[in-house]
Amino acid sequence: MAPELNNAKAGQTLFAAALASSVSPARVQANPQAPLCDEDPESPLGTDKVTHCTDDQSPMGWALLRTAMGFVRYASNGSHRHQAAAVPPEDDKKGDSERAFAIADSLELGLARETPTDFTMPLRRSRKLWRFRVIRSEDKLKARMVTDVGDFLMYAQAFLEARRIGFFLYDPGSDGQQLYDPAAPAFTLHYNETRTEWRLVQERCQNCMLAPPHLSCSSLGKQQLAVARHFRRQVGDGLSNCMEVVVPGIYANNTAVVWCPMLRRQDLGATHKEGDHSTQRLITKLPAWNEDVESLVLDFKGRNVVASAKNFQLALEQKPHHTLCQFGKIGNTTYGLDFKYPLSAAQAFGMAMSTLYW
């Protein structure tokens, strides 16, 4: 067996196992279901226990297996190489052809990831949080999302002048650099001038993927995955950074509602209403003021975090005591990112990157 396939077995133990079963992402007619959260302990799920999770025994589709194997190929060692400035090719057609051949070659190896579906599917149901990490660059403008054992998942880069953060499925600092295209992110996180509203969109809408440009949502805001609003709240003698997040609801088959303007979906951030299961609202779990240490404190179960203004925990509005996502600093440039159903990897990473100015 090839060495990369031997290593791939380790990559399957977390992200691919965490993903939902390979249900077709096509739009379904059933009404979104009410969000479900287990009334269970919330400590993160360790990598040594992933295969023992019995919450959902749905088989893993071939696409998910292929993607999980691809992750190991681009394992990150935690370092950040300097990225060369993108230089437009002298011949665009030649550049496109070369990239097409590279993608075809990677497809034969089962390593290409040209569709972002795996990153937008909700994680498999679990009583505990699935563990991931975010490794930031020294300039804080670039970050990599990796599994808790270091296998590469996604790359993000901030473009401050354009007020956006691009998310890419290939790592420009590793073997995936030949497929990395800085002009073609899979997801984009836009924010307003006051840095208080952040909107995550999928560049290639699942509903409009095969539609001609004039019949797609590309000029109408694109498919929305999450909208976050930032604010601060006084807690004791301290100020806590907070966010409220609205994400699409989940259908009974565990696929997310496709929030596409062409499906007559209005702005995601302005449509959430109590009792409406087409969207879900997440709120920040506030820390407590500790008089002994004269600081705000919050219990990050399963993680030894250090103080940081970027640390946060999120919960469903109707179940504020049950953590769905937590982001905490665990090293100089490393953060723990732990989350579970109904969130997807793209949504969790997007919310973590929205703390850029915290």
Side-chain angles (χ1 to χ4, degrees), residues 4 15 24 40 70 90 112 116 119 132 134 143 151 160 169 211 242 244 289 292 296 305 324 327 332 354:
E4 58 264 26
F15 186 69
S24 171
D40 300 308
E90 296 181 1
F119 300 92
F132 300 88
V134 173
D151 299 326
L160 302 184
L169 306 187
C242 301
E244 292 181 351
W289 178 260
D292 295 334
L296 295 172
V305 303
L324 288 184
F327 184 64
N332 187 34
S354 76

Side-chain angles (χ1 to χ4, degrees), residues 20-43:
S21 59
S22 56
V23 180
S24 171
R27 182 162 50 99
V28 296
Q29 301 299 323
N31 292 325
Q33 62 178 350
L36 298 176
C37 287
D38 297 314
E39 305 282 344
D40 300 308
E42 301 163 347
S43 56

Side-chain angles (χ1 to χ4, degrees), residues 18 86 97 111 123 130 142 174 193 195 211-212 261 269 284 297 306 312 314 317 353 356:
S97 298
L111 302 177
L123 294 193
W130 298 92
K142 298 179 281 291
S174 73
E193 189 174 359
R195 307 167 186 170
T284 299
V297 295
V306 296
F312 69 80
L314 296 175
E317 183 178 31
M353 291 302 296
L356 177 66

Side-chain angles (χ1 to χ4, degrees), residues 336-349:
L337 177 60
D338 309 323
F339 58 99
K340 65 180 180 178
Y341 180 93
L343 295 179
S344 66
Q347 290 169 333
F349 194 22

